[in-house]
Amino acid sequence: MNATAKPAGNHERRAEVSSALARRLPAHAVLTAREDLFPYECDGLSAYRQTPLVAALPGTVEEAAEVLRVARETGTPVVARGSGTGLSGGALPLADGILLSMGKFNRILAIDPLARVARVQPGVRNVQITEAVAPLGLYYAPDPSSQIACSIGGNVAENAGGVHCLKYGLTVHNIQKVAALSIEGDALELGADALDAPGYDLLALMTGSEGLLALLTEVTVKLLPKPQVAQVVMASFTNVEAAVDAVAKVIGAGIVPAGLEMMDKMATAAVEDYVHAGYDLEAEAILLCESDGTPEEVAEEIAKITEVMREAGCTRFAVSGSEAERLKFWSGRKAAFPAVGRISPDYYCIDGSIPRGALAKVLRRIAELSKHYGLRCANVFHAGDGNLHPLILYDANVPGEFERTEEYAGNILELCIEVGGTITGEHGVGVEKIGQMCAQFNPAELAQFHAVKAAFDPPGLLNPGKAVPTLNRCAEYGAMRVQGGRLPHPDLPRF
Amino acid sequence: MADHFIPDLADRVKDHAARKAALRIRGGGTKDFHGARLEGETLDVAGYAGIVAYEPRELVLTVKAGTRIADIERALAAEGQMLAFEPPGFGEAATIGGTVACNLSGPRRPFAGAVRDFVLGTRIVNGKGEDLSFGGRVIKNVAGYDVSRLMAGAFGTLGVLTEISFKVLPRPPAEATLAFEMDEAGMIESVNRWSGQPLPLSATSWEAGVLRLRLTGASSAVAAARAKLGGTEIPDGTAYWDGLREQRLAFFAGEGPLWRLSVAQTAAPIALGPPQLIEWGGGLRWVRGAIEAARAREAAEKARGHATLFRGGDRAAGVFHPLAPALAKIHRRLKDAFDPAGILNPGRMDNF
């Protein structure tokens, strides 16, 4: 594992910035020792690592504002971090930057059951909100698979999704207001306690902005009434095309399922070995289709889903008969990442999103590329909304295998763009997919993104270099693609 | 004409940018009453109309911005689908571009989401005459900043909308409208309490002591909710909700000023004098009559919201709720980032 080379004068910078921070924050809130910085070296994308110049752990909004002031006065970049579960390197520190951990902002500030909102600090974990409001018959809908660990601030930064997005929306649909600090020191309130706010929709812009626009300090989330009943259908198919067709037919029948997930044979084998839920190991594709709502609604929907699955030619079929069985059916899908982790030393998760009509084509091509690169690939897929998660299996200790994996991944992402999709459905661009941004957007569009950033962050100190590539970088990326598509990120650390 | 439309439009914008000459973007012209000033030479976009792509089984629709809402709704209805934000048109000629630009959502908004919640992607020509695409035609997409949703409610001041992709939804099979006699405070309490329960609510409206409640969903769910909630079922429900969304109800008749107070759904009754119609589960309070702008704004702020002079009245004091200084600064810079010459609908949003 290499870290990027440290710029000259790093010691002096560290001393300057950390002493400026130490003057304004409690002693325990500033970390400079290498062993203290180690936990902040990477987020969920651990292939990329970097030691920050210094880490700051403010405990109050005032202290967070002081960190930004030091950043501004010393011209030091700032990378904000929540729980560090992000999968695109969005919270990867910068060698010459402050790593600002929001971990101490972990309190639920207010719950208003009548208004169905909760005001929380950004470090609160996603699942904590649902746990806190469950006694009121409410819940917070977005449920990324990392929900027991990921923070709501990170969810806003990435516009996190989950398995229930098709029906209940992404983070952007489930938050009402945020408080944030600008790099200039202004306290911003974006969105409102009302259903809309005057002026431009800056809340939409802030959601999914990967920490490049402002520092979140508070989030007001919407809470929904917990559905009374949920049931899941599990159906097996002997080929992927038939499963894809069944998905289209479910939607075509006027049903918006609460969840609609697909696993291919390799993913199924991996998860069955891990959770023993009784998945059909003969099937080429398994669909999990959930209905939730009132008992009447669910009974009506499950009957329709059953009919559609049968017509689409499923070979095995089961409806969960109890809550325990429903959770068992889901257990494998929810554990897909760790399950794949057990059958391979390393895996690389992709997050492309495509129009569902192109799914069969894309899966075929992924299989061809798998042969070409000599790397196995297990597919799990948010089938309802077109968000693919191919998991490429590799071994980081085999020389060259990570490079081949990245190249394979890059090819899949470009394929997603080619069929009218996107390089990231819910994990964000971060450092990981910054090269492919050049394929998805043209220079004028990228320049517009940079201008948006400059409107919020004129000195360009908030998480610079992430999410939106510079035009120079794209010129290099383009040149490389022409020369045979090797190594999309030459200047980034690799195995 | 269609093939040349965007390049021609881009050239015209470039030319105006070079001369710093204002352009007034116009679709069907049905929202001319809304917003602050109308300035500049008309840039007619109504001619750029038609469905670009519609995949009912993907729940995704892409249209040219000049497409009439009525045409879109007809195409969706043929497939048993709908725009769930129930766009108000305010006239036959209303286009989807105008509705998005003005951020208009109908009675279903608190239960299904606003226009911005259903925008998946936009193609725009910015104030530099650049043809740009953001977002896309997929449900989930986090590549780049969400410029598409930013366009909803920007009144054309950041770019000329040319194409828009939406998430569409199946039209629920059953609908019923119930009426309850209720005072204002009781209504606010009731609709918020019901909104926190698993009921198939899709609209609320209260005026003159009567609450109307719309239920939409699976027929069994609507029947069960009807039994649970009580009230009196009214037979002409659909006509009422159409009248509300298009502001054709008697409450909206005449030329007097119409204030729109968007406030916290649970905010207590706001005493201002003129009659009110309250929809969106308490969140949207229409006030029909002349009130001083300062008073409307103060009352809205107290109710944790904002006030807009939606129609008529004295527009000199500004139409929209003033922004906090820190936000106004970012708005100014965003406007400059998209339209440095300041030629796109200048003044339509008061200062932008």
Side-chain angles (χ1 to χ4, degrees):
Chain A
M1 180 76 45
N2 310 318
T4 46
K6 292 190 175 65
N10 194 274
H11 274 300
E12 293 75 49
R13 283 291 287 160
R14 176 168 289 155
E16 182 199 348
V17 176
S18 57
S19 65
L21 286 169
R23 277 197 296 277
R24 297 197 169 102
L25 300 183
H28 56 80
V30 183
L31 308 179
T32 51
R34 204 180 160 89
E35 63 273 20
D36 291 337
L37 295 176
F38 178 73
Y40 301 102
E41 275 184 354
C42 68
D43 61 12
L45 184 71
S46 57
Y48 296 84
R49 286 176 187 272
Q50 175 62 58
T51 309
L53 195 63
V54 50
L57 288 71
T60 64
V61 174
E62 293 70 29
E63 288 174 11
E66 289 300 320
V67 177
L68 295 186
R69 186 163 124 187
V70 169
R72 195 165 67 235
E73 288 175 0
T74 59
T76 309
V78 183
V79 178
R81 175 189 169 102
S83 298
T85 57
L87 293 171
S88 56
L92 180 75
L94 298 170
D96 59 346
I98 300 168
L99 189 284
L100 197 171
S101 167
M102 294 300 280
K104 289 183 185 167
F105 288 75
N106 58 3
R107 283 183 306 130
I108 294 176
L109 300 170
I111 295 167
D112 184 338
L114 189 61
R116 292 149 280 122
V117 292
R119 209 155 53 77
V120 306
Q121 291 188 316
V124 167
R125 288 173 297 116
N126 173 298
V127 78
Q128 263 181 287
I129 301 174
T130 290
E131 284 168 359
V133 301
L136 303 166
L138 300 170
Y139 79 117
Y140 175 65
D143 59 343
S145 54
S146 57
Q147 73 179 135
I148 57 164
C150 62
S151 71
I152 193 74
N155 288 179
V156 174
E158 304 294 329
N159 193 13
V163 298
H164 291 99
C165 300
L166 184 65
K167 184 167 177 182
Y168 295 105
L170 307 156
T171 303
V172 71
H173 302 107
N174 288 281
I175 58 174
Q176 192 145 333
K177 188 173 84 164
V178 300
L181 291 170
S182 76
I183 189 70
E184 296 172 294
D186 292 323
L188 308 174
E189 193 179 290
L190 314 178
D193 291 319
L195 291 170
D196 46 35
Y200 298 137
D201 194 341
L202 301 188
L203 181 60
L205 213 44
M206 185 74 183
T207 312
S209 63
E210 303 195 21
L212 272 77
L213 300 184
L215 178 72
L216 278 173
T217 55
E218 199 177 295
V219 183
T220 301
V221 299
K222 294 182 196 172
L223 305 170
L224 297 180
K226 191 168 163 41
Q228 288 163 287
V229 189
Q231 264 188 301
V232 63
V233 164
M234 180 162 70
S236 309
F237 292 85
T238 51
N239 64 74
V240 169
E241 280 81 359
V244 171
D245 191 45
V247 171
K249 283 190 170 130
V250 168
I251 311 273
I255 299 166
V256 179
L260 183 46
E261 297 286 314
M262 188 166 131
M263 294 190 289
D264 73 358
K265 195 170 193 171
M266 189 185 297
T268 306
V271 301
E272 178 58 23
D273 197 35
Y274 185 39
V275 300
H276 309 292
Y279 291 116
D280 179 359
L281 295 171
E282 300 302 309
E284 286 297 324
I286 288 182
L287 288 181
L288 291 166
C289 184
E290 181 156 290
S291 167
D292 69 9
T294 64
E296 302 83 15
E297 279 173 314
V298 172
E300 218 173 292
E301 264 189 18
I302 290 286
K304 272 203 230 172
I305 294 168
T306 305
E307 197 187 315
V308 170
M309 293 292 177
R310 293 240 153 93
E311 270 173 26
C314 71
T315 49
R316 260 176 70 178
F317 179 86
V319 184
S320 63
S322 64
E323 186 59 10
E325 195 174 30
R326 184 182 77 89
L327 296 175
K328 191 170 106 182
F329 285 6
W330 275 114
S331 62
R333 170 59 189 90
K334 294 229 168 178
F337 291 14
V340 166
R342 288 172 81 238
I343 61 166
S344 173
D346 298 284
Y347 66 90
Y348 192 102
C349 175
I350 300 171
D351 178 42
S353 207
I354 57 168
R356 262 188 292 103
L359 179 63
K361 175 186 170 177
V362 168
L363 290 180
R364 256 198 315 275
R365 185 79 187 123
I366 288 175
E368 285 165 18
L369 287 166
S370 165
K371 284 197 192 111
H372 174 79
Y373 285 105
L375 293 165
R376 291 180 297 164
C377 183
N379 284 289
V380 294
F381 179 46
H382 300 304
D385 54 38
N387 190 194
L388 292 163
H389 290 316
L391 301 166
I392 303 175
L393 281 49
Y394 72 101
D395 183 349
N397 290 321
V398 175
E401 203 155 297
F402 180 67
E403 285 77 3
R404 268 191 295 143
T405 300
E406 277 207 315
E407 198 179 309
Y408 182 9
N411 274 299
I412 294 175
L413 294 182
E414 287 179 18
L415 178 62
C416 291
I417 300 172
E418 188 189 305
V419 299
T422 177
I423 58 173
T424 175
E426 58 184 359
H427 294 169
V429 173
V431 291
E432 184 203 21
K433 293 178 273 286
I434 198 148
Q436 285 80 24
M437 282 292 282
C438 310
Q440 186 160 338
F441 294 98
N442 68 34
E445 288 155 355
L446 293 171
Q448 190 69 76
F449 286 145
H450 287 299
V452 166
K453 176 170 174 59
F456 281 82
D457 173 21
L461 292 174
L462 296 175
N463 215 7
K466 311 278 180 66
V468 185
T470 61
L471 298 182
N472 274 341
R473 188 184 189 115
C474 286
E476 287 167 25
Y477 175 79
M480 272 189 314
R481 301 307 298 170
V482 173
Q483 287 162 19
R486 282 191 35 78
L487 288 181
H489 317 293
D491 54 346
L492 285 170
R494 26 191 96 243
F495 290 93
Chain B
M1 150 197 176
D3 289 349
H4 304 283
F5 186 86
I6 291 176
D8 289 353
L9 187 154
D11 283 344
R12 183 144 174 231
V13 171
K14 268 182 212 153
D15 170 58
H16 276 252
R19 296 188 284 116
K20 291 201 187 300
L23 281 168
R24 169 192 166 191
I25 308 161
R26 192 170 189 276
T30 52
K31 261 75 87 181
D32 281 354
F33 69 86
H34 188 36
R37 299 189 299 281
L38 295 172
E39 272 177 27
E41 208 174 287
T42 300
L43 178 66
D44 191 342
V45 290
Y48 193 60
I51 290 172
V52 176
Y54 175 32
E55 281 297 333
R57 303 210 303 186
E58 303 264 352
L59 301 177
V60 176
L61 167 78
T62 302
V63 290
K64 296 177 183 174
T67 315
R68 289 189 176 196
I69 289 175
D71 293 337
I72 293 175
E73 292 196 323
R74 209 167 308 126
L76 290 171
E79 299 290 341
Q81 297 188 337
M82 63 177 185
L83 292 170
F85 55 95
E86 245 180 339
F90 303 133
E92 280 275 293
T95 65
I96 192 67
T99 298
V100 171
C102 297
N103 205 21
L104 294 171
S105 307
R108 200 184 299 269
R109 191 273 172 250
F111 306 98
V115 50
R116 59 85 101 161
D117 292 313
F118 291 90
V119 170
L120 298 176
T122 53
R123 184 170 174 188
I124 64 166
V125 171
N126 69 7
K128 295 191 256 184
E130 295 168 332
D131 173 15
L132 310 173
S133 292
F134 299 101
R137 291 186 197 174
V138 286
I139 305 286
K140 281 159 92 177
N141 185 355
V142 294
Y145 303 117
D146 202 341
V147 172
S148 298
R149 290 187 214 282
L150 177 67
M151 292 300 136
F155 285 82
T157 60
L158 300 178
V160 186
L161 286 163
T162 56
E163 289 172 13
I164 310 163
S165 294
F166 294 98
K167 178 184 176 185
V168 299
L169 286 180
R171 183 177 292 276
E175 179 179 307
T177 300
L178 306 177
F180 302 80
E181 293 208 4
M182 226 178 251
D183 68 15
E184 188 179 348
M187 175 276 294
I188 292 168
E189 215 271 329
S190 298
V191 295
N192 278 286
R193 198 158 34 78
W194 288 332
S195 297
Q197 295 171 14
L199 293 165
L201 297 182
S202 72
T204 72
S205 171
W206 178 92
E207 58 170 318
V210 177
L211 166 68
R212 287 178 183 79
L213 204 65
R214 185 176 62 186
L215 305 169
T216 356
S219 33
S220 54
V222 169
R226 195 164 46 198
K228 183 180 172 185
L229 292 169
T232 318
E233 182 155 6
I234 57 170
D236 56 345
T238 306
Y240 177 83
W241 299 110
D242 281 349
L244 174 61
R245 121 169 158 167
E246 296 299 327
Q247 300 193 344
R248 284 190 308 250
L249 301 178
F251 174 86
F252 296 102
E255 295 301 311
L258 177 66
W259 280 90
R260 177 188 189 273
L261 271 60
S262 175
V263 298
Q265 288 177 287
T266 50
I270 304 168
L272 281 165
Q276 292 187 29
L277 185 150
I278 301 179
E279 52 170 329
W280 290 9
L284 185 56
R285 308 191 186 186
W286 298 102
V287 184
R288 196 61 215 272
I291 36 174
E292 225 179 287
R295 222 177 124 228
R297 302 224 153 97
E298 195 192 316
E301 278 175 24
K302 221 177 266 173
R304 295 181 290 145
H306 62 103
T308 309
L309 181 52
F310 194 79
R311 237 185 233 276
D314 171 18
R315 307 181 84 74
V319 168
F320 296 99
H321 206 94
L323 298 169
L327 289 188
K329 182 164 71 179
I330 292 173
H331 274 66
R332 168 51 53 203
R333 291 191 200 133
L334 270 178
K335 169 72 177 169
D336 291 343
F338 282 87
D339 177 21
I343 54 159
L344 298 178
N345 279 357
R348 187 79 191 252
M349 290 183 83
D350 292 323
N351 301 316
F352 306 103

